[in-house]
């Protein structure tokens, strides 16, 4: 029973490089989310997807793109990484307004 | 503009005593509230929730209180245990949306 699986767990990027964070859930949830966690800032919503084929901006979408590939998978892309994007990224899924289930996180460092 | 605020970054409580974590919100469209617990290097895990039609929900040692007029909720942990030491986030769903908005978190330390 995997729940929400994120890959990779750790990543170091150089400024300007691109990468995609992958997320998959096996709970048949319609809604999926990407958050970033920074010291003193809590968990901030980057993008979310209410259903397959739809995506919406959250609180801090600049510098990111997302793709809801199918019901299970929701990816987050950094086209040109910046040091300000150094953070821990969490993917989550839910059937609102029930509780959301989170992955283990991806620790990203941009140098 | 932080819609969900936890004004205490940290809280230290002796084992066996009550821990009270507070959360304030500004958006009157929020109608369902949740508390999450997070250990280092792990994802947040759900703890307890409350609907806006209630003012209290209890689950074992954890009780959440909601004061809608004050736009305030609190989490009470009684008795506190060392294993409760973690960061606690409150979160809110807005009515008729799929956005789940989190607060800034409170680090709870329970000491013997």
């Amino acid at each position: 029973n995997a729940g929400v699986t994120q890959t990779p767990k750790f990543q170091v990027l150089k400024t300007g490089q691109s990468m995609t964070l992958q997320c998959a859930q096996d709970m048949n949830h319609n809604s999926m989310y990407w958050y970033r966690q920074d010291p003193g800032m809590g968990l901030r919503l980057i993008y979310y997807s209410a259903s397959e084929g739809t995506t919406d901006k959250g609180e801090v979408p600049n510098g990111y793109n997302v793709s809801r590939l199918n019901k299970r998978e929701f990816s987050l892309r950094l086209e040109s990484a910046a040091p300000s994007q150094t953070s821990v990224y969490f993917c989550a899924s839910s059937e609102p307004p029930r509780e959301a289930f989170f992955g283990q996180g991806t620790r990203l460092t941009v140098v | 503009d932080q819609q969900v605020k936890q004004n205490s970054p940290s809280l230290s409580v002796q084992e066996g005593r009550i821990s009270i974590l507070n959360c304030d919100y500004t958006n009157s469209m929020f109608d369902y509230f949740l508390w999450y617990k997070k250990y280092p290097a792990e994802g947040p895990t759900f703890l307890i929730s409350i609907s806006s039609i209630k003012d209290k929900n209890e689950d074992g040692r954890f009780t959440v209180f909601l004061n809608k007029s004050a736009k305030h909720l609190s989490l009470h942990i009684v008795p506190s245990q060392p294993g409760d030491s973690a960061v606690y986030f409150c979160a809110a769903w807005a009515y008729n949306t799929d956005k789940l908005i989190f607060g800034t978190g409170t680090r709870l330390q329970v000491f013997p």
Side-chain angles (χ1 to χ4, degrees):
Chain A
N1 194 7
V4 178
T5 303
Q6 289 182 236
T7 55
K9 287 188 168 44
F10 301 94
Q11 184 72 48
V12 178
L13 289 179
K14 293 183 179 178
T15 298
Q17 285 186 319
S18 63
M19 79 161 294
T20 300
L21 281 65
Q22 307 285 355
C23 175
Q25 52 98 3
D26 62 3
M27 294 172 282
N28 204 36
H29 288 159
N30 280 302
S31 297
M32 296 187 73
Y33 307 83
W34 278 105
Y35 292 89
R36 60 178 288 175
Q37 184 192 9
D38 303 291
M41 303 297 290
L43 288 160
R44 292 182 292 171
L45 181 63
I46 305 170
Y47 269 93
Y48 66 105
S49 169
S51 61
E52 185 178 350
T54 68
T55 61
D56 282 289
K57 294 178 181 179
E59 302 168 281
V60 288
N62 292 345
Y64 305 95
N65 285 303
V66 290
S67 295
R68 183 73 182 268
L69 306 169
N70 48 56
K71 191 170 186 180
R72 288 188 66 246
E73 297 172 290
F74 188 39
S75 62
L76 178 73
R77 182 160 179 84
L78 288 70
E79 289 290 353
S80 179
S84 61
Q85 293 178 305
T86 293
S87 187
V88 182
Y89 291 85
F90 290 99
C91 177
S93 72
S94 177
E95 283 296 334
R98 299 192 188 99
E99 66 267 27
F101 294 84
F102 282 80
Q104 293 285 77
T106 297
R107 185 173 294 275
L108 174 67
T109 303
V110 183
V111 297
Chain B
D1 182 25
Q2 197 79 27
Q3 298 184 68
V4 180
K5 301 177 187 179
Q6 295 174 256
N7 291 319
S8 298
S10 63
L11 177 67
S12 189
V13 172
Q14 189 173 30
E15 182 178 5
R17 302 276 194 172
I18 184 171
S19 295
I20 300 176
L21 294 92
N22 294 303
C23 180
D24 296 294
Y25 62 96
T26 57
N27 189 340
S28 58
M29 297 299 286
F30 287 149
D31 65 345
Y32 199 87
F33 304 89
L34 307 93
W35 283 94
Y36 278 80
K37 179 178 180 179
K38 187 183 180 304
Y39 292 119
E42 295 184 8
T45 55
F46 170 73
L47 205 52
I48 191 169
S49 61
I50 188 167
S51 164
S52 60
I53 63 173
K54 295 186 174 181
D55 56 16
K56 177 182 174 182
N57 189 27
E58 198 170 348
D59 184 1
R61 297 186 297 115
F62 303 92
T63 303
V64 56
F65 295 92
L66 175 62
N67 183 334
K68 278 176 55 180
S69 61
K71 293 190 174 69
H72 177 84
L73 63 154
S74 61
L75 175 68
H76 292 209
I77 306 173
V78 183
S80 301
Q81 299 173 354
D84 296 329
S85 297
V87 177
Y88 289 78
F89 292 99
C90 64
W93 291 108
Y95 172 75
N96 218 25
T97 77
D98 289 317
K99 274 190 187 180
L100 180 59
I101 303 298
F102 280 79
T104 49
T106 297
R107 182 177 301 277
L108 173 66
Q109 183 181 8
V110 180
F111 60 93

